[in-house]
Amino acid sequence: GVLFTGDVVVQSPLPFTAATWPVEWSGVLHAIEGERVTALMPGHGPLMRDLSYVRALHALIDGVTSQVAACLDRSMTVEQCQQSVDVTTLRAGAPVWAGRALDDDWKATVRALVERAWHELRGLD
């Protein structure tokens, strides 16, 4: 009943997004959500007793990826896309991501995730 996720799931307190493959990781997170676990050990962060953080992370990755796809449909640059992606409601999905003390790190986390999704969706990585 214990699942070790590696760095696909990280709560430190923010996810590591600079080395993600958002499109591929979405499928992995979906598979994790389908597991019956009593404990989940992320790549970094505390032992988890439920999948609520995984669901929030999955929603973040899918939400950003879909917004990036829309940016690409409008031929936006990665910089324009980073400025237009809105994750306000997605951030609320994990209370550990809240708090003004994390604002700068949150912005960097999202910028990195947008860049990774932008490259992956264009087939560049």
Side-chain angles (χ1 to χ4, degrees):
V2 178
L3 178 63
F4 292 84
T5 67
D7 285 349
V8 171
V9 178
V10 168
Q11 180 185 319
S12 184
L14 301 175
F16 292 161
T17 57
T20 59
W21 299 100
V23 175
E24 294 178 32
W25 284 23
S26 177
V28 173
L29 292 168
H30 179 75
I32 289 171
E33 288 173 310
E35 294 293 324
R36 297 178 71 160
V37 298
T38 56
L40 184 140
M41 191 68 228
H44 298 266
L47 180 72
M48 299 175 188
R49 295 290 181 185
D50 62 38
L51 296 173
S52 59
Y53 183 82
V54 172
R55 288 184 196 100
L57 178 60
H58 194 188
L60 174 67
I61 286 177
D62 283 356
V64 167
T65 301
S66 67
Q67 290 182 64
V68 170
C71 290
L72 289 171
D73 288 343
R74 295 188 306 266
S75 300
M76 294 171 72
T77 67
V78 67
E79 292 83 8
Q80 291 168 325
C81 191
Q82 287 169 323
Q83 292 172 3
S84 73
V85 167
D86 181 7
V87 294
T88 306
T89 57
L90 297 170
R91 186 176 184 185
V96 70
W97 297 339
R100 294 184 53 80
L102 293 175
D103 283 353
D104 289 340
D105 290 337
W106 179 255
K107 288 175 188 172
T109 295
V110 173
R111 288 181 63 80
L113 182 56
V114 168
E115 181 179 356
R116 297 298 298 168
W118 191 84
H119 283 281
E120 189 177 10
L121 289 170
R122 292 184 67 223
L124 298 177
D125 289 333

